[in-house]
Amino acid sequence: MPAVFFAIVAVMLTAWAVLDGFDFGVGIVHRIVARTEEERGRALATVLPVWDGNEVWLVAGGAVLLLAFPRAYAAAMSGMYLALIMVLWLLVFRGVSIELRGHVDHPLWRAAWDSMFALSSTVLAFVAGVALGNVVRGVPIGPTGWFQLDLFAIAGDRVAAIDGYTGTIGLLSVVLLAAHGASYVAWKTDGGLRERASSVAKLAWRAAVPLAVVATVVTGFVRPAMFAAIARRPWVWPLAASAIGSTVVAFRALAAALDRRAFLASSALIASLLLATAGGLYPTLIPSTVDPAYDIDAYGAASGHHGLVVGLFWWVPAIVLVVLYFANLFWLSRGKVTAEDADAHHG
């Protein structure tokens, strides 16, 4: 049962990264691809029907983590408390930016909130990558099962949340989500906005590929055991192949102006990378940089069997409802976003 919930948590957090990831990406690129107020309104309108629903995946994933692995949840939340508070404030500023920009019809007001949306989205994308980097690299868990993680290392021998490795993963996250969001804007808009979004997506993809290679190489030095585990697990290999294949598809789709295919390829790449990472780390939830004996794994951190069975009993119908809700939501918001769509919210 712990293995089942490990997979559930991995899938839910991956869904958040893919869905809220294009929200972040739109925020990162919208001031670059949109030249006028009307275009900025259209770029934002591409995510208006879905952005708050997409964020629910993070909340739900955290709730399932708490239910299934309370020890891992407690250690992570206490050890990275400062980073968690930063994320919460960034999420608040991001939501406020979307909702308040249209409340006052003044260029400076809207420009200020547009800039806040871009800044908070960019920093959130970076923090998400840094968080993943910390999960892969490990944190200083000792014999007590707890740890304290500074944002930056003051002394050279201390492990910090942001270092050369995690910063590299954070930068890759920003660039990859920028490509993801730009592909989404290109798919959902037309005219000059669509053309500029497609151009930005191509540039971001060209930057993301060498960054991904660098990140893969340094990960091999930071956590060689993860690659050894992947080599022993044939069920992870299709995910690695999917990551490579989806990158090729994304480049070809962008070159052929097949915007929806490019967006779906970027979604597949993000999902493949994250699920392959989870497959390589399993059953470890939080590795220790002090000693592998202090790793927090799915079996040692799991709730009781009865609690997991009851949790799974309720999770199955809940996830079916969520999937149906999102399918209906994306169906209702299908098609290109027009100026009237933007005015309906910001007018």
Side-chain angles (χ1 to χ4, degrees):
M1 193 60 73
V4 172
F5 272 93
F6 185 99
I8 287 174
V9 171
V11 168
M12 293 186 74
L13 293 181
T14 297
W16 169 71
V18 171
L19 295 173
D20 219 16
F22 73 74
D23 291 349
F24 291 172
V26 171
I28 294 169
V29 305
H30 85 286
R31 287 192 65 84
I32 300 172
V33 301
R35 300 284 175 82
T36 65
E37 166 60 28
E38 184 270 336
E39 287 187 342
R40 285 194 295 275
R42 274 200 292 150
L44 287 172
T46 62
V47 299
L48 287 177
V50 297
W51 73 269
D52 47 355
N54 290 343
E55 289 185 351
V56 171
W57 285 96
L58 177 61
V59 178
V64 174
L65 179 65
L66 173 60
L67 164 73
F69 309 109
R71 182 184 162 211
Y73 181 92
M77 294 302 104
S78 62
M80 293 185 282
Y81 187 75
L82 176 59
L84 174 64
I85 294 300
M86 290 176 60
V87 167
L88 291 177
W89 276 107
L90 287 167
L91 289 171
V92 168
F93 280 126
R94 191 165 163 272
V96 168
S97 300
I98 294 174
E99 295 299 330
L100 291 187
R101 76 176 299 272
H103 284 209
V104 177
D105 189 12
H106 193 283
L108 289 178
W109 174 270
R110 294 191 174 188
W113 289 116
D114 286 344
S115 298
M116 178 59 70
F117 182 55
L119 176 63
S120 57
S121 297
T122 303
V123 178
L124 273 168
F126 180 77
V127 170
V130 167
L132 176 62
N134 275 275
V135 170
V136 173
R137 180 206 60 196
V139 293
I141 303 173
T144 64
W146 302 92
F147 68 95
Q148 193 274 324
L149 197 62
D150 296 329
L151 198 58
F152 298 98
I154 299 175
D157 59 343
R158 293 192 64 178
V159 176
I162 302 177
D163 60 12
Y165 173 70
T166 61
T168 299
I169 305 301
L171 180 59
L172 173 61
S173 175
V174 171
V175 176
L176 190 56
L177 292 184
H180 192 42
S183 299
Y184 185 74
V185 174
W187 172 33
K188 298 294 288 183
T189 60
D190 52 20
L193 177 58
R194 181 248 152 225
E195 293 174 3
R196 288 189 294 274
S198 180
S199 297
V200 169
K202 293 174 184 176
L203 290 172
W205 271 105
R206 294 189 188 110
V209 170
L211 267 174
V213 173
V214 170
T216 302
V217 171
V218 296
T219 299
F221 288 100
V222 170
R223 179 122 332 242
M226 188 176 79
F227 287 94
I230 290 174
R232 297 192 305 268
R233 297 167 179 172
W235 51 272
V236 182
W237 299 349
L239 295 170
S242 173
I244 296 172
S246 56
T247 303
V248 174
V249 171
F251 274 103
R252 290 184 174 179
L254 287 169
L258 300 173
D259 301 318
R260 182 174 64 177
R261 183 177 298 178
F263 171 72
L264 293 176
S266 68
S267 300
L269 172 62
I270 295 169
S272 299
L273 288 175
L274 292 177
L275 292 175
T277 300
L281 289 173
Y282 175 80
T284 303
L285 292 164
I286 309 177
S288 171
T289 58
V290 177
D291 190 320
Y294 302 138
D295 289 353
I296 298 178
D297 64 38
Y299 294 93
S303 298
H305 180 76
H306 176 73
L308 294 179
V309 170
V310 173
L312 185 62
F313 175 82
W314 287 105
W315 181 84
V316 171
I319 201 65
V320 170
L321 289 175
V322 168
V323 170
L324 291 175
Y325 167 78
F326 271 88
N328 181 64
L329 181 63
F330 278 92
W331 173 257
L332 293 176
S333 58
R334 68 190 183 280
K336 300 286 185 178
V337 171
T338 65
E340 289 74 18
D341 296 323
D343 291 339
H345 185 84
H346 297 301

